[in-house]
Amino acid sequence: MPILPREQPEPSPAPPEESQRMATSFGVHAQRYDQARPGYPEALVARILAGTPGAGVLDVGCGTGIAARQFQAAGCTVLGIEPDARMADFARARGLQVEVATFEAWEPGDRMFDAVIAAQSWHWVDPVAGTAKVAGVLRPGGRLAIFGHVYEPPAEVAEPFAAAYRRVAPDSPISGQPARRPLELYQAGYAKIADQICETERFRDPEQWRFDWQQPYTRDQWLELLPTTGGLTRLHPDQLAEILDAVGNAIDSLGGSFTMDYTTLAATAARTNTP
């Protein structure tokens, strides 16, 4: 994954106040976010639904509804929970039911669900309180699925990006991260999530899934996606322009396009049949 987007579990999370500011920064350009961000492997959606007792899905941190719309298309009834009202409004305009709240503060009432999903959003949720809350809203046999993408651009793109970010935002708490990080780092994060699910004693043995795929990007497509990532959403326009110029030049040197290797990781478990 690139140096800056904090979109997967990490061993050393940012301070709570920094995390909250970043969590609500993605709605600045909700339309760009929705158009530029990739969806999720259909095989992942099918595998989640194959292990659920019904079609009622709760999407934690649904954003603009990228994952939620895929589950809708598969025949599910989806309720999204999203703390950023701008993202929620965008999702509603595309036919999703969304309630604005953090997951911890959200009031489910007596509503129950067959699946709870969190697509690149679980790192914004308190893992202990969040997992316990999920167990309380899942029907017996219902499935919790926490998943997200890991992606590392070629070094020829990642390194100029990292250098430009350090130059324009040297005081950022994440500017010291390496240009590229190993997949094993993120796999360890999902293993930790699986352990936290297990600790509740309200789920069957967690599983970890992996889906590998590729997506080509032109220069313009990648420069459209980059500003939607966590480390860039709060930069000044001049700072952002300098970073995009450096990355654009790097992609030009590759012939104007490159192929991204994606890995989608998931930690998932079914609810036990006991209270």
Side-chain angles (χ1 to χ4, degrees), residues 61-107:
C62 69
T64 60
I66 293 172
R69 294 197 299 271
Q70 290 185 250
F71 280 84
Q72 270 192 336
C76 297
T77 300
V78 183
L79 171 64
I81 307 300
E82 171 56 44
D84 190 321
R86 298 163 298 184
M87 301 285 266
D89 286 344
F90 188 97
R92 290 185 187 120
R94 278 143 188 82
L96 294 171
Q97 181 184 357
V98 184
E99 297 179 8
V100 178
T102 63
F103 185 53
E104 295 88 339
W106 173 66
E107 296 291 344

Side-chain angles (χ1 to χ4, degrees), residues 2 11 16 18 24 27 65 70 92-93 116 125 138 141 144 148 165 171 176 211 239 245 251 259 275:
E18 175 68 15
T24 56
Q70 290 185 250
R92 290 185 187 120
V116 175
V125 177
L138 269 178
L144 167 62
Y165 190 88
D171 297 329
F211 302 83
Q239 294 175 304
D245 185 58
I251 298 173
T259 297

